[in-house]
Amino acid sequence: MKELIKQEVIRYVSENNSNYSNEIQTPYYDEPLVQFASATDELFSQYKEIIASEHLTPQEVFNIAYAGESSSPQTVISIVLPISEKIRSSNRSQKEWASDEWTLLRTFGDDHFIDGLTEHLSRFLNKKGYKTVNPTTLKAFKKYGNEKGPLSNWSQRHIAFAAGLGTFSINDGFITEKGIAIRLTSLVTEAVIEPDKRKAEDHTANCLYLSKGSCKACFKRCPVGAITEKGHDKIVCWQRCYGEESQLRAKAIGGNPEAGSGCGLCQTNIPCEFSNPMASSN
């Protein structure tokens, strides 16, 4: 079942027409990475303390989706979608705002394509007799903020960490074997699949700065100084990526204003853009 799911995700990403921009003349995403975590992994309960008490566990996701039924999730599927080279390269030379290509990705890649992928995989598993839920489609899913900045009650980065797909960066991005310029999605299913092991010794092991005190490339790339030795100022970052001017920039080129233009400068033209820098530095 593990390989079957992986191959189905890879097939969908490579063949589905929604993963191609006629305007940019490139796919939005390259071949994905897919890994699995046990739905009963104690890390999911720990996230209520690490992230927020509202953060959902896989069992809570199933309790909401299948209220009144005695259903138990067994596996969490996490998917890494590496942003394609042409879109990444368009953003490398930017100094103040995201490139048009990166901005269009936010509307047509992030929302449209990823939603289609998770819906397809959910149907794929349902047809095989396994109840499956995309937590971000539940009415209980929410994005909100606290004194530290924006967050959600189903963090794709933390789900990916649980599945052993990578670790966190000083800029709060997620560094995988295919780098930090990625998107993430996930599903919870009752299919029993052997979980992948977390190989990282630390939750920031792939970040050159946090592991070795070197790099600081993303510090220099941030146009609003939101990344420093103290960490990542999520509020300043959010205002830049999704504020009024960002929304106007997205609208001006045919994107969804609500999605904003994003930024991604701290994910491009840096050592961890498309690979794990610690893999070559050890």
Side-chain angles (χ1 to χ4, degrees), residues 163-228:
L165 280 162
T167 77
F168 296 86
S169 165
I170 184 69
N171 67 5
D172 277 332
F174 191 77
I175 306 173
T176 71
E177 293 307 304
K178 292 196 175 184
I180 197 172
I182 59 168
R183 296 293 189 262
L184 298 164
T185 190
S186 58
L187 292 166
V188 181
T189 182
E190 64 179 358
V192 178
I193 303 168
E194 182 181 358
D196 290 287
K197 294 181 180 179
R198 291 190 288 274
K199 298 178 182 178
E201 296 181 359
D202 184 84
H203 71 285
T204 60
N206 293 350
C207 178
L208 284 172
Y209 177 75
L210 292 174
S211 293
K212 294 191 171 185
S214 61
C215 191
K216 295 187 180 181
C218 62
F219 294 32
K220 300 171 185 176
R221 288 284 285 157
C222 181
V224 290
I227 309 165
T228 66

Side-chain angles (χ1 to χ4, degrees), residues 232-252:
H232 175 222
D233 189 322
K234 293 183 179 180
I235 296 175
V236 171
C237 177
W238 186 92
Q239 289 171 341
R240 180 66 167 190
C241 294
Y242 309 109
E244 183 178 355
E245 187 169 355
S246 174
Q247 292 178 16
L248 290 173
R249 285 178 173 272
K251 184 178 180 180

Side-chain angles (χ1 to χ4, degrees), residues 35-48:
Q35 289 192 188
F36 307 83
S38 169
T40 58
D41 191 318
E42 63 179 16
L43 192 55
F44 292 117
S45 295
Q46 293 172 11
Y47 284 160
K48 287 186 174 295

Side-chain angles (χ1 to χ4, degrees), residues 253-271:
I253 62 168
N256 177 8
E258 292 184 4
S261 66
C263 180
L265 269 67
C266 72
Q267 296 179 7
T268 51
N269 199 20
I270 57 173

